[in-house]
Amino acid sequence: MKECYFCRNGIKKIHWRNPELLARFTSVQGKIKPPKKTGVCSKHQRQLARAIKKARIMALLPFVK
């Protein structure tokens, strides 16, 4: 199993103001990638999903590409 990107780099909180980081975890269609493909642990997957959804509302990420 892959090691979590956020655990490995010591990132405690995933912030919605970082669209470059969040875009790495979205597919070409704009969907949130599953943890099996990204290797993110469940704790950070929940934080990531919340951050992506908030960034979409704040118009930093598109809902659909």
Short mmCIF file of all heavy atoms in Angstrom, two decimals:
data_model
loop_
_atom_site.label_atom_id
_atom_site.label_comp_id
_atom_site.label_asym_id
_atom_site.label_seq_id
_atom_site.Cartn_x
_atom_site.Cartn_y
_atom_site.Cartn_z
N MET A 1 0.84 -1.19 0.00
CA MET A 1 0.00 0.00 0.00
C MET A 1 0.88 1.25 0.00
O MET A 1 1.94 1.27 0.60
CB MET A 1 -0.88 0.00 1.24
CG MET A 1 -1.89 1.08 1.25
SD MET A 1 -3.01 0.82 2.64
CE MET A 1 -3.82 2.36 2.63
N LYS A 2 0.42 2.27 -0.70
CA LYS A 2 1.16 3.52 -0.78
C LYS A 2 1.13 4.24 0.56
O LYS A 2 0.20 4.10 1.34
CB LYS A 2 0.52 4.44 -1.82
CG LYS A 2 0.60 3.94 -3.23
CD LYS A 2 -0.07 4.95 -4.14
CE LYS A 2 -0.14 4.46 -5.56
NZ LYS A 2 -0.82 5.41 -6.43
N GLU A 3 2.16 5.03 0.78
CA GLU A 3 2.18 5.86 1.98
C GLU A 3 1.44 7.16 1.69
O GLU A 3 1.55 7.72 0.60
CB GLU A 3 3.64 6.15 2.36
CG GLU A 3 3.77 6.80 3.72
CD GLU A 3 5.22 7.04 4.08
OE1 GLU A 3 6.10 6.67 3.31
OE2 GLU A 3 5.44 7.63 5.14
N CYS A 4 0.70 7.64 2.68
CA CYS A 4 -0.10 8.85 2.51
C CYS A 4 0.80 10.05 2.22
O CYS A 4 1.80 10.28 2.90
CB CYS A 4 -0.92 9.09 3.78
SG CYS A 4 -1.87 10.62 3.74
N TYR A 5 0.46 10.81 1.19
CA TYR A 5 1.23 11.99 0.79
C TYR A 5 1.32 13.00 1.92
O TYR A 5 2.37 13.58 2.18
CB TYR A 5 0.57 12.63 -0.45
CG TYR A 5 1.17 13.95 -0.84
CD1 TYR A 5 2.35 14.00 -1.58
CD2 TYR A 5 0.58 15.15 -0.48
CE1 TYR A 5 2.91 15.21 -1.94
CE2 TYR A 5 1.13 16.36 -0.83
CZ TYR A 5 2.29 16.39 -1.56
OH TYR A 5 2.85 17.59 -1.90
N PHE A 6 0.23 13.21 2.63
CA PHE A 6 0.18 14.22 3.67
C PHE A 6 0.90 13.76 4.93
O PHE A 6 1.56 14.56 5.59
CB PHE A 6 -1.28 14.59 3.97
CG PHE A 6 -1.99 15.13 2.77
CD1 PHE A 6 -2.90 14.35 2.09
CD2 PHE A 6 -1.75 16.40 2.31
CE1 PHE A 6 -3.55 14.82 0.97
CE2 PHE A 6 -2.38 16.89 1.19
CZ PHE A 6 -3.29 16.10 0.52
N CYS A 7 0.81 12.48 5.28
CA CYS A 7 1.55 11.94 6.43
C CYS A 7 3.05 11.98 6.16
O CYS A 7 3.84 12.33 7.03
CB CYS A 7 1.11 10.52 6.72
SG CYS A 7 -0.59 10.36 7.31
N ARG A 8 3.44 11.62 4.94
CA ARG A 8 4.86 11.59 4.58
C ARG A 8 5.49 12.97 4.63
O ARG A 8 6.62 13.13 5.07
CB ARG A 8 4.99 11.01 3.16
CG ARG A 8 6.41 10.81 2.71
CD ARG A 8 6.51 10.08 1.38
NE ARG A 8 5.24 9.79 0.76
CZ ARG A 8 4.87 10.26 -0.44
NH1 ARG A 8 5.68 11.01 -1.14
NH2 ARG A 8 3.70 9.94 -0.95
N ASN A 9 4.76 14.00 4.18
CA ASN A 9 5.29 15.36 4.15
C ASN A 9 5.00 16.16 5.41
O ASN A 9 5.35 17.34 5.47
CB ASN A 9 4.76 16.10 2.92
CG ASN A 9 5.29 15.48 1.64
OD1 ASN A 9 6.42 15.04 1.59
ND2 ASN A 9 4.46 15.43 0.62
N GLY A 10 4.33 15.55 6.36
CA GLY A 10 4.06 16.23 7.63
C GLY A 10 3.04 17.34 7.55
O GLY A 10 3.08 18.28 8.35
N ILE A 11 2.13 17.26 6.59
CA ILE A 11 1.08 18.27 6.45
C ILE A 11 -0.05 17.91 7.40
O ILE A 11 -0.66 16.87 7.28
CB ILE A 11 0.58 18.35 5.00
CG1 ILE A 11 1.73 18.73 4.07
CG2 ILE A 11 -0.57 19.34 4.87
CD1 ILE A 11 1.41 18.63 2.60
N LYS A 12 -0.29 18.78 8.38
CA LYS A 12 -1.30 18.50 9.41
C LYS A 12 -2.71 18.86 8.94
O LYS A 12 -3.65 18.13 9.16
CB LYS A 12 -0.98 19.29 10.68
CG LYS A 12 0.38 18.97 11.24
CD LYS A 12 0.28 18.38 12.59
CE LYS A 12 1.66 18.18 13.15
NZ LYS A 12 1.93 16.88 13.57
N LYS A 13 -2.85 20.02 8.27
CA LYS A 13 -4.17 20.49 7.86
C LYS A 13 -4.15 20.79 6.36
O LYS A 13 -3.23 21.46 5.88
CB LYS A 13 -4.54 21.75 8.65
CG LYS A 13 -5.95 22.22 8.40
CD LYS A 13 -6.34 23.23 9.44
CE LYS A 13 -7.73 23.70 9.44
NZ LYS A 13 -8.52 23.84 8.34
N ILE A 14 -5.13 20.31 5.66
CA ILE A 14 -5.25 20.57 4.23
C ILE A 14 -6.13 21.80 4.08
O ILE A 14 -7.27 21.82 4.53
CB ILE A 14 -5.88 19.36 3.50
CG1 ILE A 14 -5.03 18.11 3.77
CG2 ILE A 14 -5.99 19.63 2.01
CD1 ILE A 14 -5.67 16.83 3.35
N HIS A 15 -5.58 22.84 3.45
CA HIS A 15 -6.30 24.11 3.36
C HIS A 15 -6.89 24.30 1.97
O HIS A 15 -6.27 23.93 0.98
CB HIS A 15 -5.35 25.27 3.69
CG HIS A 15 -6.06 26.44 4.26
ND1 HIS A 15 -6.67 27.38 3.48
CD2 HIS A 15 -6.29 26.81 5.54
CE1 HIS A 15 -7.23 28.29 4.24
NE2 HIS A 15 -7.01 27.97 5.51
N TRP A 16 -8.06 24.87 1.90
CA TRP A 16 -8.75 25.07 0.63
C TRP A 16 -8.13 26.18 -0.21
O TRP A 16 -8.43 26.30 -1.39
CB TRP A 16 -10.24 25.37 0.87
CG TRP A 16 -10.49 26.57 1.74
CD1 TRP A 16 -10.62 26.59 3.09
CD2 TRP A 16 -10.65 27.93 1.31
NE1 TRP A 16 -10.85 27.86 3.54
CE2 TRP A 16 -10.88 28.71 2.46
CE3 TRP A 16 -10.63 28.55 0.07
CZ2 TRP A 16 -11.07 30.08 2.41
CZ3 TRP A 16 -10.82 29.92 0.01
CH2 TRP A 16 -11.04 30.66 1.18
N ARG A 17 -7.23 26.98 0.36
CA ARG A 17 -6.62 28.09 -0.39
C ARG A 17 -5.44 27.66 -1.25
O ARG A 17 -4.76 28.50 -1.82
CB ARG A 17 -6.16 29.17 0.58
CG ARG A 17 -7.28 29.90 1.21
CD ARG A 17 -6.75 31.02 2.06
NE ARG A 17 -7.83 31.64 2.81
CZ ARG A 17 -7.64 32.40 3.86
NH1 ARG A 17 -6.42 32.66 4.28
NH2 ARG A 17 -8.65 32.93 4.49
N ASN A 18 -5.17 26.37 -1.33
CA ASN A 18 -4.05 25.86 -2.12
C ASN A 18 -4.58 25.05 -3.30
O ASN A 18 -4.55 23.82 -3.28
CB ASN A 18 -3.15 25.01 -1.21
CG ASN A 18 -1.83 24.69 -1.85
OD1 ASN A 18 -1.62 24.96 -3.02
ND2 ASN A 18 -0.95 24.10 -1.07
N PRO A 19 -5.05 25.71 -4.37
CA PRO A 19 -5.67 24.97 -5.48
C PRO A 19 -4.70 24.09 -6.26
O PRO A 19 -5.11 23.09 -6.83
CB PRO A 19 -6.26 26.07 -6.37
CG PRO A 19 -5.52 27.30 -6.01
CD PRO A 19 -5.11 27.15 -4.57
N GLU A 20 -3.39 24.42 -6.27
CA GLU A 20 -2.43 23.59 -6.99
C GLU A 20 -2.33 22.20 -6.35
O GLU A 20 -2.30 21.19 -7.03
CB GLU A 20 -1.04 24.24 -7.01
CG GLU A 20 -0.98 25.54 -7.77
CD GLU A 20 -1.38 26.74 -6.94
OE1 GLU A 20 -1.26 26.69 -5.69
OE2 GLU A 20 -1.85 27.72 -7.53
N LEU A 21 -2.29 22.18 -5.03
CA LEU A 21 -2.23 20.90 -4.32
C LEU A 21 -3.53 20.13 -4.48
O LEU A 21 -3.51 18.93 -4.75
CB LEU A 21 -1.95 21.14 -2.82
CG LEU A 21 -1.96 19.90 -1.94
CD1 LEU A 21 -0.76 19.01 -2.26
CD2 LEU A 21 -1.95 20.30 -0.48
N LEU A 22 -4.66 20.80 -4.36
CA LEU A 22 -5.96 20.14 -4.46
C LEU A 22 -6.21 19.60 -5.86
O LEU A 22 -6.86 18.57 -6.03
CB LEU A 22 -7.08 21.09 -4.05
CG LEU A 22 -7.01 21.60 -2.60
CD1 LEU A 22 -8.14 22.58 -2.36
CD2 LEU A 22 -7.06 20.47 -1.61
N ALA A 23 -5.70 20.28 -6.87
CA ALA A 23 -5.91 19.85 -8.26
C ALA A 23 -5.21 18.52 -8.54
O ALA A 23 -5.64 17.77 -9.42
CB ALA A 23 -5.41 20.92 -9.22
N ARG A 24 -4.18 18.20 -7.78
CA ARG A 24 -3.49 16.91 -7.95
C ARG A 24 -4.40 15.74 -7.60
O ARG A 24 -4.18 14.63 -8.06
CB ARG A 24 -2.26 16.84 -7.04
CG ARG A 24 -1.14 17.74 -7.44
CD ARG A 24 0.05 17.55 -6.54
NE ARG A 24 0.47 16.16 -6.52
CZ ARG A 24 1.26 15.63 -5.62
NH1 ARG A 24 1.71 16.36 -4.63
NH2 ARG A 24 1.60 14.36 -5.68
N PHE A 25 -5.38 15.99 -6.75
CA PHE A 25 -6.25 14.92 -6.27
C PHE A 25 -7.62 14.94 -6.92
O PHE A 25 -8.56 14.34 -6.42
CB PHE A 25 -6.37 15.02 -4.74
CG PHE A 25 -5.06 14.82 -4.04
CD1 PHE A 25 -4.29 15.91 -3.66
CD2 PHE A 25 -4.57 13.55 -3.82
CE1 PHE A 25 -3.07 15.73 -3.04
CE2 PHE A 25 -3.35 13.36 -3.20
CZ PHE A 25 -2.59 14.45 -2.81
N THR A 26 -7.74 15.63 -8.06
CA THR A 26 -8.98 15.61 -8.85
C THR A 26 -8.67 15.03 -10.23
O THR A 26 -7.56 15.18 -10.73
CB THR A 26 -9.60 17.02 -9.01
OG1 THR A 26 -8.64 17.88 -9.62
CG2 THR A 26 -10.02 17.58 -7.68
N SER A 27 -9.66 14.38 -10.81
CA SER A 27 -9.47 13.75 -12.12
C SER A 27 -9.62 14.80 -13.23
O SER A 27 -9.89 15.96 -12.96
CB SER A 27 -10.49 12.63 -12.32
OG SER A 27 -11.78 13.18 -12.40
N VAL A 28 -9.47 14.35 -14.46
CA VAL A 28 -9.60 15.25 -15.61
C VAL A 28 -11.00 15.83 -15.69
O VAL A 28 -11.19 16.98 -16.09
CB VAL A 28 -9.24 14.48 -16.91
CG1 VAL A 28 -9.44 15.34 -18.12
CG2 VAL A 28 -7.83 13.96 -16.84
N GLN A 29 -11.99 15.04 -15.28
CA GLN A 29 -13.38 15.50 -15.31
C GLN A 29 -13.71 16.42 -14.13
O GLN A 29 -14.77 17.02 -14.09
CB GLN A 29 -14.36 14.32 -15.27
CG GLN A 29 -14.32 13.46 -16.50
CD GLN A 29 -13.25 12.38 -16.41
OE1 GLN A 29 -12.73 12.08 -15.35
NE2 GLN A 29 -12.90 11.81 -17.56
N GLY A 30 -12.81 16.51 -13.15
CA GLY A 30 -13.04 17.35 -11.99
C GLY A 30 -13.54 16.60 -10.77
O GLY A 30 -13.86 17.20 -9.75
N LYS A 31 -13.60 15.26 -10.86
CA LYS A 31 -14.06 14.46 -9.73
C LYS A 31 -12.92 14.24 -8.74
O LYS A 31 -11.75 14.24 -9.11
CB LYS A 31 -14.55 13.09 -10.21
CG LYS A 31 -15.75 13.14 -11.12
CD LYS A 31 -16.12 11.74 -11.55
CE LYS A 31 -17.33 11.74 -12.45
NZ LYS A 31 -17.70 10.37 -12.84
N ILE A 32 -13.28 14.02 -7.48
CA ILE A 32 -12.30 13.73 -6.45
C ILE A 32 -11.83 12.28 -6.64
O ILE A 32 -12.65 11.37 -6.69
CB ILE A 32 -12.89 13.93 -5.05
CG1 ILE A 32 -13.36 15.37 -4.87
CG2 ILE A 32 -11.87 13.56 -3.98
CD1 ILE A 32 -14.15 15.61 -3.59
N LYS A 33 -10.50 12.09 -6.73
CA LYS A 33 -9.96 10.75 -6.94
C LYS A 33 -10.13 9.92 -5.67
O LYS A 33 -10.00 10.43 -4.56
CB LYS A 33 -8.48 10.83 -7.29
CG LYS A 33 -8.21 11.36 -8.67
CD LYS A 33 -6.74 11.33 -8.96
CE LYS A 33 -6.42 11.92 -10.32
NZ LYS A 33 -4.96 12.00 -10.54
N PRO A 34 -10.38 8.62 -5.82
CA PRO A 34 -10.54 7.75 -4.64
C PRO A 34 -9.20 7.50 -3.95
O PRO A 34 -8.14 7.59 -4.57
CB PRO A 34 -11.10 6.46 -5.23
CG PRO A 34 -10.67 6.46 -6.64
CD PRO A 34 -10.62 7.90 -7.07
N PRO A 35 -9.26 7.17 -2.66
CA PRO A 35 -8.01 6.95 -1.92
C PRO A 35 -7.18 5.77 -2.42
O PRO A 35 -5.98 5.73 -2.23
CB PRO A 35 -8.47 6.72 -0.48
CG PRO A 35 -9.92 6.50 -0.53
CD PRO A 35 -10.43 7.08 -1.81
N LYS A 36 -7.81 4.80 -3.09
CA LYS A 36 -7.05 3.68 -3.64
C LYS A 36 -6.08 4.14 -4.72
O LYS A 36 -4.99 3.61 -4.86
CB LYS A 36 -7.99 2.62 -4.23
CG LYS A 36 -8.49 1.63 -3.23
CD LYS A 36 -9.17 0.48 -3.93
CE LYS A 36 -9.49 -0.61 -2.94
NZ LYS A 36 -10.10 -1.76 -3.59
N LYS A 37 -6.48 5.13 -5.51
CA LYS A 37 -5.62 5.63 -6.59
C LYS A 37 -4.57 6.60 -6.07
O LYS A 37 -3.45 6.63 -6.56
CB LYS A 37 -6.45 6.31 -7.66
CG LYS A 37 -7.20 5.36 -8.54
CD LYS A 37 -7.71 6.04 -9.76
CE LYS A 37 -8.37 5.02 -10.67
NZ LYS A 37 -8.79 5.60 -11.92
N THR A 38 -4.94 7.43 -5.10
CA THR A 38 -4.03 8.47 -4.61
C THR A 38 -3.15 7.98 -3.47
O THR A 38 -2.08 8.53 -3.24
CB THR A 38 -4.80 9.71 -4.14
OG1 THR A 38 -5.71 9.33 -3.11
CG2 THR A 38 -5.55 10.35 -5.28
N GLY A 39 -3.60 6.96 -2.73
CA GLY A 39 -2.82 6.45 -1.62
C GLY A 39 -2.94 7.29 -0.36
O GLY A 39 -2.09 7.22 0.52
N VAL A 40 -3.98 8.09 -0.25
CA VAL A 40 -4.18 8.95 0.90
C VAL A 40 -4.93 8.17 1.99
O VAL A 40 -5.84 7.41 1.69
CB VAL A 40 -4.99 10.21 0.49
CG1 VAL A 40 -5.25 11.11 1.66
CG2 VAL A 40 -4.26 10.97 -0.60
N CYS A 41 -4.52 8.37 3.26
CA CYS A 41 -5.20 7.68 4.36
C CYS A 41 -6.61 8.26 4.55
O CYS A 41 -6.93 9.33 4.03
CB CYS A 41 -4.39 7.79 5.65
SG CYS A 41 -4.23 9.44 6.32
N SER A 42 -7.44 7.55 5.28
CA SER A 42 -8.85 7.94 5.40
C SER A 42 -9.02 9.28 6.10
O SER A 42 -9.90 10.06 5.74
CB SER A 42 -9.64 6.86 6.13
OG SER A 42 -9.11 6.64 7.40
N LYS A 43 -8.19 9.57 7.09
CA LYS A 43 -8.26 10.85 7.80
C LYS A 43 -8.02 12.01 6.85
O LYS A 43 -8.78 12.98 6.80
CB LYS A 43 -7.22 10.87 8.92
CG LYS A 43 -7.06 12.19 9.62
CD LYS A 43 -5.89 12.14 10.59
CE LYS A 43 -5.54 13.52 11.07
NZ LYS A 43 -4.34 13.49 11.92
N HIS A 44 -6.96 11.90 6.04
CA HIS A 44 -6.64 12.98 5.11
C HIS A 44 -7.58 12.99 3.91
O HIS A 44 -7.78 14.04 3.30
CB HIS A 44 -5.18 12.88 4.68
CG HIS A 44 -4.24 13.28 5.77
ND1 HIS A 44 -3.36 12.39 6.35
CD2 HIS A 44 -4.06 14.46 6.40
CE1 HIS A 44 -2.66 13.02 7.28
NE2 HIS A 44 -3.08 14.28 7.33
N GLN A 45 -8.15 11.85 3.55
CA GLN A 45 -9.13 11.82 2.45
C GLN A 45 -10.36 12.64 2.81
O GLN A 45 -10.89 13.37 1.98
CB GLN A 45 -9.51 10.38 2.11
CG GLN A 45 -10.51 10.25 0.97
CD GLN A 45 -9.94 10.63 -0.38
OE1 GLN A 45 -8.73 10.59 -0.58
NE2 GLN A 45 -10.79 10.99 -1.30
N ARG A 46 -10.81 12.54 4.07
CA ARG A 46 -11.96 13.34 4.51
C ARG A 46 -11.63 14.82 4.49
O ARG A 46 -12.43 15.64 4.02
CB ARG A 46 -12.40 12.90 5.90
CG ARG A 46 -13.07 11.54 5.94
CD ARG A 46 -13.68 11.25 7.29
NE ARG A 46 -12.71 11.21 8.36
CZ ARG A 46 -12.05 10.13 8.76
NH1 ARG A 46 -12.26 8.98 8.15
NH2 ARG A 46 -11.20 10.17 9.77
N GLN A 47 -10.45 15.19 4.99
CA GLN A 47 -10.03 16.59 4.98
C GLN A 47 -9.88 17.10 3.55
O GLN A 47 -10.26 18.23 3.23
CB GLN A 47 -8.70 16.76 5.70
CG GLN A 47 -8.76 16.63 7.19
CD GLN A 47 -7.40 16.84 7.83
OE1 GLN A 47 -6.42 17.17 7.16
NE2 GLN A 47 -7.33 16.62 9.13
N LEU A 48 -9.35 16.25 2.68
CA LEU A 48 -9.14 16.61 1.28
C LEU A 48 -10.47 16.86 0.58
O LEU A 48 -10.63 17.85 -0.15
CB LEU A 48 -8.37 15.48 0.58
CG LEU A 48 -8.00 15.67 -0.87
CD1 LEU A 48 -7.01 16.80 -1.01
CD2 LEU A 48 -7.39 14.38 -1.41
N ALA A 49 -11.45 15.99 0.80
CA ALA A 49 -12.77 16.16 0.19
C ALA A 49 -13.42 17.46 0.64
O ALA A 49 -13.98 18.20 -0.18
CB ALA A 49 -13.66 14.97 0.52
N ARG A 50 -13.33 17.76 1.94
CA ARG A 50 -13.91 19.01 2.45
C ARG A 50 -13.21 20.22 1.84
O ARG A 50 -13.87 21.19 1.46
CB ARG A 50 -13.78 19.07 3.97
CG ARG A 50 -15.01 18.55 4.67
CD ARG A 50 -14.94 18.80 6.17
NE ARG A 50 -14.86 17.50 6.81
CZ ARG A 50 -13.89 17.08 7.60
NH1 ARG A 50 -12.90 17.87 7.93
NH2 ARG A 50 -13.91 15.87 8.10
N ALA A 51 -11.88 20.17 1.72
CA ALA A 51 -11.12 21.28 1.17
C ALA A 51 -11.44 21.49 -0.31
O ALA A 51 -11.58 22.63 -0.77
CB ALA A 51 -9.63 21.05 1.36
N ILE A 52 -11.57 20.40 -1.07
CA ILE A 52 -11.90 20.51 -2.49
C ILE A 52 -13.29 21.10 -2.67
O ILE A 52 -13.50 21.98 -3.51
CB ILE A 52 -11.77 19.13 -3.18
CG1 ILE A 52 -10.30 18.75 -3.28
CG2 ILE A 52 -12.41 19.16 -4.57
CD1 ILE A 52 -10.05 17.34 -3.78
N LYS A 53 -14.25 20.65 -1.87
CA LYS A 53 -15.61 21.17 -1.99
C LYS A 53 -15.67 22.65 -1.65
O LYS A 53 -16.34 23.43 -2.32
CB LYS A 53 -16.55 20.38 -1.09
CG LYS A 53 -16.78 18.96 -1.60
CD LYS A 53 -17.58 18.14 -0.61
CE LYS A 53 -17.70 16.69 -1.08
NZ LYS A 53 -18.45 15.86 -0.13
N LYS A 54 -14.92 23.06 -0.62
CA LYS A 54 -14.92 24.47 -0.25
C LYS A 54 -14.21 25.31 -1.32
O LYS A 54 -14.65 26.42 -1.65
CB LYS A 54 -14.24 24.67 1.10
CG LYS A 54 -14.41 26.07 1.62
CD LYS A 54 -14.17 26.15 3.10
CE LYS A 54 -14.50 27.55 3.57
NZ LYS A 54 -14.40 27.69 5.01
N ALA A 55 -13.13 24.78 -1.90
CA ALA A 55 -12.42 25.50 -2.96
C ALA A 55 -13.30 25.65 -4.19
O ALA A 55 -13.22 26.66 -4.90
CB ALA A 55 -11.13 24.76 -3.31
N ARG A 56 -14.16 24.67 -4.47
CA ARG A 56 -15.09 24.79 -5.59
C ARG A 56 -16.10 25.90 -5.33
O ARG A 56 -16.41 26.69 -6.22
CB ARG A 56 -15.84 23.47 -5.80
CG ARG A 56 -15.01 22.39 -6.42
CD ARG A 56 -15.79 21.11 -6.44
NE ARG A 56 -15.07 20.03 -7.11
CZ ARG A 56 -15.40 18.77 -7.03
NH1 ARG A 56 -16.43 18.40 -6.31
NH2 ARG A 56 -14.70 17.85 -7.66
N ILE A 57 -16.62 25.96 -4.12
CA ILE A 57 -17.59 27.00 -3.78
C ILE A 57 -16.96 28.38 -3.86
O ILE A 57 -17.59 29.34 -4.31
CB ILE A 57 -18.20 26.73 -2.38
CG1 ILE A 57 -19.07 25.48 -2.44
CG2 ILE A 57 -18.99 27.91 -1.87
CD1 ILE A 57 -19.51 24.95 -1.10
N MET A 58 -15.69 28.49 -3.44
CA MET A 58 -14.98 29.77 -3.47
C MET A 58 -14.41 30.08 -4.87
O MET A 58 -13.70 31.07 -5.04
CB MET A 58 -13.84 29.77 -2.45
CG MET A 58 -14.31 29.55 -1.03
SD MET A 58 -15.55 30.72 -0.49
CE MET A 58 -14.54 32.08 -0.06
N ALA A 59 -14.72 29.24 -5.85
CA ALA A 59 -14.34 29.42 -7.26
C ALA A 59 -12.83 29.33 -7.49
O ALA A 59 -12.30 29.95 -8.40
CB ALA A 59 -14.89 30.73 -7.82
N LEU A 60 -12.14 28.55 -6.68
CA LEU A 60 -10.71 28.30 -6.92
C LEU A 60 -10.49 27.05 -7.76
O LEU A 60 -9.49 26.93 -8.44
CB LEU A 60 -9.97 28.15 -5.58
CG LEU A 60 -9.95 29.39 -4.70
CD1 LEU A 60 -9.29 29.08 -3.37
CD2 LEU A 60 -9.23 30.53 -5.39
N LEU A 61 -11.45 26.12 -7.69
CA LEU A 61 -11.43 24.90 -8.51
C LEU A 61 -12.74 24.80 -9.26
O LEU A 61 -13.79 25.18 -8.73
CB LEU A 61 -11.27 23.66 -7.63
CG LEU A 61 -9.92 23.38 -7.00
CD1 LEU A 61 -10.00 22.17 -6.10
CD2 LEU A 61 -8.86 23.17 -8.04
N PRO A 62 -12.73 24.28 -10.48
CA PRO A 62 -13.99 24.12 -11.21
C PRO A 62 -14.79 22.90 -10.72
O PRO A 62 -14.20 21.93 -10.25
CB PRO A 62 -13.53 23.91 -12.66
CG PRO A 62 -12.17 23.32 -12.52
CD PRO A 62 -11.58 23.91 -11.28
N PHE A 63 -16.09 22.98 -10.84
CA PHE A 63 -16.94 21.83 -10.52
C PHE A 63 -16.79 20.78 -11.63
O PHE A 63 -16.71 19.60 -11.34
CB PHE A 63 -18.41 22.25 -10.42
CG PHE A 63 -18.75 22.89 -9.11
CD1 PHE A 63 -18.75 24.26 -8.97
CD2 PHE A 63 -19.09 22.12 -8.02
CE1 PHE A 63 -19.05 24.85 -7.76
CE2 PHE A 63 -19.40 22.69 -6.80
CZ PHE A 63 -19.38 24.07 -6.68
N VAL A 64 -16.76 21.22 -12.87
CA VAL A 64 -16.62 20.34 -14.04
C VAL A 64 -15.61 20.96 -14.98
O VAL A 64 -15.62 22.18 -15.19
CB VAL A 64 -17.98 20.18 -14.76
CG1 VAL A 64 -17.83 19.29 -15.98
CG2 VAL A 64 -19.03 19.62 -13.84
N LYS A 65 -14.73 20.13 -15.54
CA LYS A 65 -13.73 20.67 -16.48
C LYS A 65 -14.20 20.48 -17.90
O LYS A 65 -14.94 19.63 -18.24
CB LYS A 65 -12.39 19.99 -16.27
CG LYS A 65 -11.78 20.38 -14.96
CD LYS A 65 -10.39 19.83 -14.84
CE LYS A 65 -9.81 20.27 -13.51
NZ LYS A 65 -8.50 19.81 -13.26
#
